[in-house]
Amino acid sequence: MSAGPPTRPRKLAVFGGGLGSLSAVFALTELPGWRERFDITVYQIGWRLGGKARSGRNLRAHARNEALGHHVWYGWYDNAFALARRVYAETRRAPGAPLATFKEAFKPCDHLLLGTGDRTDRTPPWKMSLPRGDSLPGDGAAQPSVWHFAQTLLLWAIDCIPRLHPQYATWSAIVPRWPDASRSLWPALMRRAGGQGVRAYDGFDPQRPDYDDLLRRAAAAVHGEDAPKTSRQRRAWAQPLTHCGEHSLRSLVGLGARQTHPQFTTMVDLALATVRGILHDGLDRAGFSAIDDQDLRAWLRRHGASEEALASTVLVALYADHMSYESGDAERPAAAAGALLRAALRRYLAFSGALYYIPAAGLGEVLFAPLYRLLRDRGVHFRFFHKLKHLCPDPKQPAVSAAVVGRQIELAPGVEEYEPLIKVKGLPCWPSRPLYSQIVLGDDPVIQAIDFEANESPEVEEVVLRAGVDFDDIILGIPPPALAGAARELAARDPRWEALLEHTHSIAAMGAQLWLSPTWAQLLGGPAQAGAGGIVRTELPRWVNLSTAAAYEGWPREHWPGAIASLSGPRPDRSADGSREPVRDIAETWLKSHPRALWPEASLAGADEFNWELLLDPQGRAAEHRLAAQHCWATQNASDRQIVTLPGDPRHRLAAGDSGFRNLWLAGDWVGGGLDLACAEGAVMAGLQAARAVSGDAIVIHGERDCIDSD
Ligand SMILES: Cc1cc2nc3c(=O)[nH]c(=O)nc-3n(C[C@H](O)[C@H](O)[C@H](O)COP(=O)(O)OP(=O)(O)OC[C@H]3O[C@@H](n4cnc5c(N)ncnc54)[C@H](O)[C@@H]3O)c2cc1C
């Protein structure tokens, strides 16, 4: 911790107002007596907070909410939900006010629907539903240990196997189908377990085997007094079961299980490979990060997953969810195995409340507007239209001596401070464009043509902030893809910064937000259970039902949207000739090619063609021209590129409190030492780590480390 001058609070300059840095500011301003300790100013490029998760109301299109894609928060995002719940608890909106409570703001969902864009694929879409728990995410529930994940998967696989084939529904029917050599090895594994003090297999008689009783007892043995206690015992307990799972699965696949239960067979296949990998690579003692140099799919293959499981919709969708591709190319999926596996296991096996939550409107109004107001009321200063241009290292010591900032606008006469929020139906929201009336020359088309969120945007003045005068410490919340210029001198000084900038990979994203006249249930021809999912192997593989947002938008009755959908995906890097297909064309092709993939009732009667009339267009355009009334977007600025964690990347990340410069702290989903995966929870976790490092206070961060068994 750097020591600020003793006579005044430490001045913190926070660059960037995304989820990472705002979480840091929120945590610091939760500390008792924080105002005596810190004087905090947030410098934000452009007119709004939220970064990649921002959203804004388009005042020229019925105040509809427009965002860079949709944001789904999974039930395991304990730190992110704790933040959101604290914001709602403190904001105390009046009952009946829009989005008055946390429960109104985040809608729980238990079902995921994963399909493919392949018209020849006759297999039904994957419907995954997981039972809801009583708790709410954000309560700080302890994360299961890595061993616990392995044990849960193994027991689940053993439980499922007798249900994979109707003619082989008991272990007594399945085990005799194994090859003789595998069956004769099994008792030896059990004896070895007994030698390690594992009592689960005691009493098994290979001459008169009762396999069903054996497996019942082996499963029950993980609870109670006979539970394996040491690492050796856990392995000794697991080995006969993984052996059993592996040979049973292989036999049942040979007997046609993949045809009768393709999805369960795949899940069991992946579960067993994961268990084998965890045990073989000692992740229960080392944590998931130990395999971050490998790609997840390659790691699963190494541990015995079949090619069918590796190509399965569920695994393809996992990569698609995190847009984990090299250069945005869906043909080149790649992901650090530990980071993605940790997130997947927490997602499905360690969520609180529901599997996932969808913000009831844009995250701008659901989270960032109330958070901004709360922080401002607490006494945090905000400087909108201030972009960081350059961080200058001190020539004599490892510290930042100055920060060069570009002020982007001149405030109109009489405007003391830019007021960024508007109200739509009583709800504080961010506009999708600056509020030009507060800006000098704001009605000038030249000013209105400027993208104030771009680093290349012009400025009216360069301001130099000096260490010891204007700031004592910096919290840097700007992601590396946007730091090439600003952190240039840091990289020249410190090779770790050079490596960080070089090895933080990112991809552009694109998508289409569609407003449709029918309700989602009408489009489906049945009740709408799933709120999100994937249509894998298409250009826009993620979808979310955002229909709840309509109630907070300003549509007149005659143009009321029954449904709002968001489709999104990676935007491949430019082709060699520099050309790129416009997103609107991609959305048009998507709707033409996969008319039934998402909504069975969205095609013209008797034809396999999307019914364009379903798209809402107040101007009444014809056919595909109605796409002009939708929001087709692509990330334009370096800062908006999704960070991806390719194999090996985590090695080059810097921790929040280890920037190498004693007054520089890092906050964002690109920071190391947490999840190492870009998502809301990763950003919040890094923000909390930055707050802990800056303050030296023992700020609690849930799930920060993998829970491991050290013996
Ligand atoms: C299309 C898309 C969909 C996503 N969907 C999900 C999802 O469903 N669930 C999920 O958990 N995560 C999702 N994510 C990831 C999630 O949005 C991010 O992990 C998170 O928002 C990152 O927050 P951050 O604070 O690290 O960075 P950012 O949000 O990038 O914040 C950086 C901040 O710095 C500001 N800034 C940039 N340059 C400057 C400058 N020069 N000067 C001053 N300020 C500057 C930016 O404007 C921004 O406010 C998605 C990301 C994308 C791109």
Side-chain angles (χ1 to χ4, degrees):
M1 184 175 61
S2 66
T7 51
R8 58 167 174 78
R10 273 161 79 192
K11 289 187 179 177
L12 295 188
V14 180
F15 292 112
L19 201 44
S21 49
L22 293 179
S23 306
V25 174
F26 181 82
L28 289 171
T29 56
E30 292 272 279
L31 297 174
W34 75 270
R35 293 183 83 150
E36 281 87 60
R37 297 174 64 190
F38 304 111
D39 176 1
I40 305 176
T41 305
V42 177
Y43 296 87
Q44 168 62 47
I45 194 170
W47 67 98
R48 55 183 163 171
L49 301 177
K52 289 186 253 296
R54 69 187 181 274
S55 63
R57 296 312 187 94
N58 185 341
L59 299 178
R60 295 175 298 183
H62 304 289
R64 71 185 190 187
N65 172 65
E66 295 178 352
L68 294 177
H70 48 268
H71 289 256
V72 165
W73 280 23
Y74 285 94
W76 65 271
Y77 286 7
D78 223 44
N79 298 291
F81 277 115
L83 166 77
R85 284 173 61 187
R86 284 282 298 126
V87 168
Y88 275 86
E90 195 168 324
T91 298
R92 279 203 211 99
R93 287 187 172 144
L99 300 181
T101 63
F102 166 78
K103 285 190 175 173
E104 283 170 61
F106 285 88
K107 299 292 177 195
C109 284
D110 309 311
H111 307 272
L112 269 178
L113 189 73
L114 306 175
T116 77
D118 181 356
R119 285 202 207 193
T120 60
D121 185 358
R122 293 278 157 237
T123 52
W126 288 56
K127 290 182 185 161
M128 303 177 84
S129 50
L130 288 154
R132 192 174 305 179
D134 297 332
S135 53
L136 269 186
D139 281 341
Q143 276 297 324
S145 67
V146 179
W147 163 253
H148 187 89
F149 281 128
Q151 173 193 301
T152 306
L153 285 176
L154 184 52
L155 292 178
W156 177 81
I158 293 296
D159 188 47
C160 275
I161 285 171
R163 290 184 254 160
L164 292 181
H165 197 298
Q167 285 160 25
Y168 299 91
T170 63
W171 290 104
S172 312
I174 298 168
V175 178
R177 309 295 307 194
W178 297 6
D180 290 344
S182 314
R183 215 172 40 251
S184 54
L185 177 63
W186 206 23
L189 296 176
M190 294 187 222
R191 277 197 301 280
R192 193 192 294 169
Q196 296 290 346
V198 173
R199 304 274 66 93
Y201 306 102
D202 284 1
F204 175 69
D205 179 357
Q207 303 309 318
R208 274 178 295 152
D210 181 345
Y211 297 119
D212 291 276
D213 177 60
L214 170 73
L215 283 152
R216 232 183 344 264
R217 283 191 296 114
V222 287
H223 308 292
E225 279 192 4
D226 285 342
K229 294 183 180 60
T230 64
S231 159
R232 273 168 182 256
Q233 285 187 339
R234 287 192 288 268
R235 281 173 166 65
W237 169 80
Q239 212 177 9
L241 287 178
T242 34
H243 181 85
C244 166
E246 186 180 314
H247 291 288
S248 302
L249 181 66
R250 217 175 278 164
S251 303
L252 292 177
V253 166
L255 294 162
R258 227 178 261 294
Q259 283 70 45
T260 51
H261 288 96
Q263 295 167 352
F264 269 114
T265 306
T266 295
M267 293 305 280
V268 170
D269 194 329
L270 292 173
L272 288 172
T274 303
V275 173
R276 269 193 301 270
I278 288 176
L279 296 179
H280 181 272
D281 291 355
L283 304 189
D284 52 330
R285 284 169 293 174
F288 291 112
S289 306
I291 51 169
D292 272 339
D293 278 352
Q294 306 174 45
D295 168 56
L296 177 61
R297 197 177 258 114
W299 181 81
L300 287 167
R301 179 179 286 118
R302 193 163 305 126
H303 293 292
S306 70
E307 289 307 314
E308 288 86 349
L310 294 171
S312 63
T313 301
V314 70
L315 199 58
V316 175
L318 185 64
Y319 278 72
D321 246 5
H322 293 275
M323 293 189 254
S324 224
Y325 310 113
E326 284 182 41
S327 307
D329 180 354
E331 300 299 317
R332 292 156 66 202
L340 193 53
L341 183 61
R342 176 192 295 117
L345 294 177
R346 288 186 181 190
R347 179 196 289 193
Y348 292 116
L349 302 180
F351 59 89
S352 298
L355 175 61
Y356 64 99
Y357 291 76
I358 299 178
L363 268 179
E365 53 267 16
V366 163
L367 182 66
F368 293 107
L371 177 57
Y372 160 68
R373 284 188 148 185
L374 181 153
L375 293 176
R376 203 193 49 188
D377 291 349
R378 285 182 178 181
V380 174
H381 313 288
F382 284 87
R383 300 278 177 270
F384 289 96
F385 295 103
H386 281 70
K387 66 170 179 181
L388 176 69
K389 294 181 68 183
H390 197 184
L391 290 172
C392 312
D394 189 310
K396 299 202 190 86
Q397 51 174 335
V400 175
S401 59
V404 181
V405 171
R407 185 161 59 80
Q408 298 174 286
I409 53 140
E410 207 72 73
L411 289 173
V415 178
E416 292 263 303
E417 200 176 325
Y418 183 78
E419 285 295 336
L421 298 179
I422 52 169
K423 277 199 172 173
V424 176
K425 291 180 161 175
L427 185 65
C429 301
W430 306 89
S432 62
R433 284 153 49 92
L435 296 171
Y436 292 108
S437 60
Q438 298 181 41
I439 299 173
V440 163
L441 294 177
D443 51 4
D444 187 328
V446 175
I447 297 287
Q448 296 198 3
I450 294 173
D451 176 2
F452 284 105
E453 289 179 330
N455 259 315
E456 306 73 37
S457 56
E459 67 233 21
V460 293
E461 185 193 16
E462 197 170 87
V463 183
V464 180
L465 306 178
R466 303 216 169 272
V469 180
D470 304 297
F471 68 87
D472 298 302
D473 295 86
I474 288 173
I475 294 180
L476 185 62
I478 301 171
L483 285 175
R488 197 178 53 241
E489 284 193 46
L490 305 189
R493 175 75 75 82
D494 183 341
R496 294 192 314 147
W497 271 85
E498 196 182 355
L500 173 75
L501 297 184
E502 189 183 332
H503 294 282
T504 303
H505 292 95
S506 65
I507 64 167
M510 64 179 175
Q513 207 170 322
L514 309 174
W515 285 260
L516 300 110
S517 306
T519 64
W520 201 280
Q522 286 168 335
L523 290 163
L524 287 179
Q529 284 187 313
I535 309 288
V536 303
R537 300 194 185 86
T538 70
E539 300 87 336
L540 302 170
R542 299 177 69 205
W543 67 267
V544 171
N545 176 352
L546 299 179
S547 305
T548 51
Y552 306 99
E553 300 182 348
W555 298 95
R557 189 172 300 167
E558 65 275 19
H559 296 308
W560 191 262
I564 306 175
S566 168
L567 307 171
S568 63
R571 178 107 165 112
D573 286 346
R574 280 178 195 284
S575 53
D577 64 1
S579 65
R580 260 182 174 182
E581 195 180 359
V583 180
R584 207 167 112 188
D585 292 359
I586 293 171
E588 183 183 326
T589 310
W590 196 98
L591 288 167
K592 280 180 175 164
S593 316
H594 318 291
R596 293 174 198 276
L598 192 51
W599 304 299
E601 299 297 319
S603 42
L604 288 167
D608 206 11
E609 206 176 302
F610 183 70
N611 179 1
W612 296 102
E613 292 298 309
L614 302 181
L615 291 180
L616 197 68
D617 180 3
Q619 291 186 33
R621 276 163 282 220
E624 63 268 25
H625 300 292
R626 295 173 86 84
L627 269 173
Q630 315 304 314
H631 177 51
C632 295
W633 58 271
T635 51
Q636 306 290 350
N637 300 319
S639 177
D640 293 332
R641 291 173 67 89
Q642 163 81 339
I643 306 287
V644 291
T645 310
L646 300 184
D649 284 359
R651 253 187 295 145
H652 303 286
R653 297 205 169 162
L654 299 180
D658 184 27
S659 76
F661 296 85
R662 68 169 168 69
N663 57 351
L664 179 64
W665 316 92
L666 312 176
D669 63 5
W670 46 278
V671 167
L675 295 177
D676 284 320
L677 196 73
C679 61
E681 178 70 351
V684 173
M685 213 181 252
L688 297 178
Q689 289 171 332
R692 186 169 60 193
V694 172
S695 66
D697 288 40
I699 292 170
V700 176
I701 305 173
H702 299 291
E704 184 182 14
R705 311 237 171 278
D706 293 328
C707 232
I708 55 173
D709 299 285
S710 51
D711 62 73

